[in-house]
Amino acid sequence: MDLKKDEILEELRSIFLNKTFDALLPPIIYAVSNSIFGLIPAVFLAVAAALFNFSRRIIKKENWKYSLAGLIGVIFASSLAYLSDNASSYFIPALTSSTLFLLASIISIIIGRPLAAWASHLSRGWPLQWFWRDDIKPAYREVTIFWALYFALRLTIQLNLFFSDAVLNLAWVNIILGWPTIAVVLTISYLYGIWRLNNLGGPGVDEFKAEKEPPWDGQNRGF
């Protein structure tokens, strides 16, 4: 239990101390600047904030890959806003992301290959055959349904604010329903997933690889 707690806390610490700060600064600066100075200054200040985040991590020799992706994303979003002369267009990538993840979740459930299983396979390298077992797959299907509900809620709120041109509110919603909420969703997914795998009574991934016969100890770490 202590090892599981330490694993979850380490992941949350990484998200809140690193990713949240990088994700928070540009959209808030953009939204506030747009309400005070107008679109053009908001675009330049948002890009400057993202460039600051990226440069800061390079200088401090920290992991800069997320900041680089953020910088590219801010440049793209700012370009959409500038070219369309519409401040709300800055958030089109966020709406697109929510839509794609929602569709991916729903489609993966329909075809019987849940998105949560693919995500775990890609991040952990566990064999796909293990995920598709009848005594394993239900846990990943149920977690994927949970993800679909989250993305549906996020997209509904985003679209409502987007079409209302509520730029500042949309910025705050994207932040709150971004990494902070994702951290909560992933934590719940992890805890539920481990419990459900043990409830299903299937083999742990290491037992599956070793072709161990039942009775199995089950999956006790990692989901």
Side-chain angles (χ1 to χ4, degrees), residues 76 80 91-103 154-155 158-159:
F76 178 67
L80 288 177
F91 299 99
I92 287 179
L95 271 70
T96 303
S97 174
S98 296
T99 302
L100 291 177
F101 276 114
L102 175 59
L103 289 175
R154 189 170 84 170
L155 180 60
Q158 287 173 323
L159 286 174

Side-chain angles (χ1 to χ4, degrees), residues 151-170:
F151 287 118
L153 174 64
R154 189 170 84 170
L155 180 60
T156 300
I157 296 173
Q158 287 173 323
L159 286 174
N160 181 59
L161 294 173
F162 178 82
F163 288 115
S164 299
D165 289 325
V167 176
L168 188 56
N169 289 339
L170 187 53

